[in-house]
Amino acid sequence: MISENILDIKGRIARAALRAKRDAAGITIVAVSKGRSTQEIRQALEAGITDIGENRIQEAATKLNELRIQRELRTHMIGHLQTNKAKEAVQLFDLIQSVDSLRLAQSISRHAENLGKVQEALIEVKTSPEVTKFGLLPEEALKIIPEIAKLKNISIKGLMTIAPIVDNPEKTRSYFKLLKEVFDKINKLPNMDYGLSILSMGMTDDFEIAIEEGSTMIRLGRGIFA
Ligand SMILES: *Cc1c(COP(=O)(O)O)cnc(C)c1O
């Protein structure tokens, strides 16, 4: 059951935080609801979930607009975003986690300005070369973020990464360590007028390792809904 899954996950988060001597209150759960019905999402919201992640604009539009009428929720875009869908993403999401180019950031900022919004976003970083096509390499992220920081209607809050699928979750640790290093480096750049606070890393199979390495936001699909 979804409510039991969530209870179990909260216990595991608390234990991982304790091991890392961190406060579990600093870790946000994003329930990844791609492919799930609004009825399932409602159950998660009733069990205390506040943040919902989707990876496709069309599917998200249908479901989130229906859910928003009834409840308050924070919405996250976690899938690859094409520049020509930036306007819809700005309309739909509180946090766009998958910004991976200056061009996309510029487009988001422009649409956000038209809508009278400052769009919060994360930069997607490719910490492992084989995992996905998307995301900036760490050195590219370091170069581009000061440029994005100059745009008025997009506010970069942190970094996101997807670790590769491995047989043993322990093998994901180095990717999370790398993202934390990039995060710390960016926060030390001169000419950055805002600090990053969100490290979105960790999914169903590896969230405990991610928490030990400093994650502040975990994205869970199967762990909640399966
Ligand atoms: C699907 C997805 C998740 C959730 O994956 P699970 O392994 O089901 O927890 C998290 N992040 C992204 C970017 C995803 O696409």
Side-chain angles (χ1 to χ4, degrees), residues 23-53:
D23 182 356
I27 298 151
T28 303
I29 304 173
V30 176
V32 177
S33 55
K34 62 188 184 209
R36 312 289 175 179
S37 67
T38 48
Q39 197 194 336
E40 289 171 289
I41 300 171
R42 248 182 240 114
Q43 284 178 38
L45 294 169
E46 263 151 39
I49 291 293
T50 53
D51 290 66
I52 295 291

Side-chain angles (χ1 to χ4, degrees), residues 1-17:
M1 269 229 338
I2 289 170
S3 59
E4 284 164 14
N5 290 344
I6 292 169
L7 211 61
D8 173 65
I9 282 162
K10 285 188 173 166
R12 290 169 61 188
I13 292 171
R15 290 190 291 278

Side-chain angles (χ1 to χ4, degrees), residues 120-139:
E120 297 192 344
L122 307 182
I123 301 295
E124 180 172 353
V125 177
K126 201 191 310 202
T127 47
S128 140
E130 75 273 22
V131 65
T132 53
K133 297 195 287 272
F134 306 116
L136 292 166
L137 293 170
E139 57 273 23

Side-chain angles (χ1 to χ4, degrees), residues 17 37 42 46 51 55 75 85 102 115 160 163-164 177 184:
S37 67
R42 248 182 240 114
E46 263 151 39
D51 290 66
N55 67 346
T75 57
K85 299 271 174 65
L102 182 57
L115 289 163
M160 185 269 263
K177 268 194 204 300
D184 290 341

